[in-house]
Amino acid sequence: MKARQRDTAPAVPETDWAGTVARAATEDVREMLRAERRRRRGRWFAGGLVVLAVGAVVALLLRTSVFEPVAGDQAQGRDATRAGVDRDAPFDAARPFAGTPAESWADGAAGLVLPEARAVGEFDADEVAATTQLVRSVLVASRLDRKLLVDHDPTGYLGFLAPDAKRQLEPLFADGREPEVQALVSLVAPGSTPLPVEAKVSGTMSTRQGKAGELVVHTNYVFAYAFEPPPNLRLAEAMNTVVVVRADVDYIWRVGDKWTVSSRGLWFDAASGFGYSIDCDAYRKGFLAPVTTGHSVTRRPGEAEPGSYFDPRSPLPPAGGCRH
């Protein structure tokens, strides 16, 4: 049996009436379009266990004036500092995370700490330990290894998956289909250059029994990537060159005669998350690039302050969007 999909007005003169109606209708249409775009920018979902992974739609939560050719105003600076971002921190290519909440995080794979090995349902402690170690290797390959991150070569990542899962994902790494797999991996946009420092990582991993023959490993991590700034650009704050990705992804280890041989092994399942301080145009194409390469964006009143986007324990925010 192959792996199955998880079931988952005041009155106006008559002469002005036509113009008033036209203006109102135009605003109504614009609001409808904006509402539709907001609905479309829901959380990531990467489901398909027998079908190809569903194209991920990301909630892109960015704020106004994330970079400027000159320093921003003092009120914005005070807000950013309260949220854990120091606008006055000088840029240092050797310490690009200085002045951000990610500054004290572990470097790279050191931030992927395994949970204590213990028996879970039908899986003994040794089997659980082996599975969480496998998932840790998958996270390194999908989020940190420059072979995939920069070179866009998915061979290492796909090699950890069950043959059927690999077959489903492999076509999504080419021909403009990268947005369909971005819930599971990080890909640097062509033309953007990561700094030669490891990404910062914070989060947790946990396990639970799934259906018969399934061990579910839930991963909840935030990855912060540092990029080279454009030449001759005066940076307004520490976040100008940092891209933040939150990824909550379930991986499932499947064993037993319930599954065909080619479906036994590691599968991807439900995924959600968001990107912050990121170039919208690149992200819509499935790639990561800093805001210094894109357009300015706005942050709606009431949206969470930047510091919360660095906290893997915080609730996933409502759908937001890139706004020119």
Side-chain angles (χ1 to χ4, degrees):
M1 178 179 180
K2 291 186 178 179
R4 296 169 296 179
Q5 184 173 356
R6 182 169 178 256
D7 295 330
T8 52
V12 295
E14 185 173 348
T15 54
D16 293 338
W17 181 83
T20 300
V21 170
R23 286 191 297 272
T26 299
E27 285 303 311
D28 286 345
V29 170
R30 287 175 179 168
E31 181 56 31
M32 288 171 63
L33 291 174
R34 286 194 291 266
E36 177 62 20
R37 284 194 291 268
R38 289 194 294 269
R39 284 192 293 272
R40 290 177 181 175
R41 293 176 183 133
R43 295 177 180 175
W44 292 342
F45 176 76
L49 297 181
V50 288
V51 295
L52 291 179
V54 176
V57 181
V58 71
L60 298 172
L61 306 167
L62 302 99
R63 61 199 175 96
T64 237
S65 299
V66 195
F67 76 96
E68 308 167 24
V70 294
D73 62 67
Q74 293 302 308
Q76 289 178 338
R78 286 192 295 272
D79 287 344
T81 300
R82 283 198 298 271
V85 178
D86 182 2
R87 289 178 64 93
D88 297 322
F91 176 73
D92 181 351
R95 299 176 59 250
F97 299 103
T100 76
E103 181 177 9
S104 62
W105 292 0
D107 294 326
L112 303 172
V113 180
L114 299 181
E116 180 182 357
R118 59 179 179 81
V120 176
E122 64 192 272
F123 297 89
D124 63 31
D126 289 340
E127 291 171 320
V128 172
T131 302
T132 54
Q133 181 60 59
L134 175 62
V135 171
R136 183 178 186 273
S137 297
V138 166
L139 292 176
V140 171
S142 62
R143 300 290 182 180
L144 302 173
D145 190 341
R146 297 202 169 207
K147 186 175 182 181
L148 178 58
L149 185 67
V150 178
D151 300 334
H152 303 168
D153 180 355
T155 305
Y157 167 64
L158 295 175
F160 290 112
L161 304 179
D164 286 343
K166 174 183 177 180
R167 186 178 66 252
Q168 292 176 15
L169 289 185
E170 197 164 21
L172 306 183
F173 289 91
D175 301 324
R177 301 187 66 184
E178 288 85 0
E180 298 179 55
V181 76
Q182 68 183 163
L184 300 174
V185 303
S186 295
L187 302 168
V188 169
S192 293
T193 304
L195 286 168
V197 296
E198 291 193 87
K200 292 287 188 176
V201 182
S202 178
T204 59
M205 183 187 302
S206 60
T207 58
R208 62 178 173 82
Q209 173 75 52
K211 297 178 182 179
E214 292 184 342
L215 176 63
V216 181
V217 181
H218 176 67
T219 65
N220 171 24
Y221 287 96
V222 179
F223 301 87
Y225 304 93
F227 288 80
E228 289 186 4
N232 304 318
L233 177 67
R234 180 181 175 185
L235 303 178
E237 63 171 69
M239 284 300 298
N240 291 167
T241 62
V242 175
V243 169
V244 178
V245 173
R246 162 84 174 269
D248 290 14
V249 181
D250 284 348
Y251 282 95
I252 300 181
W253 177 253
R254 289 192 164 101
V255 296
D257 295 337
K258 179 179 180 180
W259 315 106
T260 61
V261 174
S262 57
S263 281
R264 296 173 194 165
L266 193 66
W267 281 82
F268 54 91
D269 196 56
S272 58
F274 59 81
Y276 170 69
S277 185
I278 196 167
D279 173 24
C280 298
D281 293 336
Y283 215 77
R284 291 190 186 103
K285 297 175 183 178
F287 300 105
L288 306 181
V291 291
T292 50
T293 64
H295 302 287
S296 347
V297 294
T298 59
R299 179 166 60 87
R300 298 175 190 165
E303 284 184 355
E305 288 294 340
S308 66
Y309 300 143
F310 289 80
D311 186 357
R313 299 166 300 179
S314 65
L316 285 170
C322 294
R323 296 174 292 279
H324 298 286

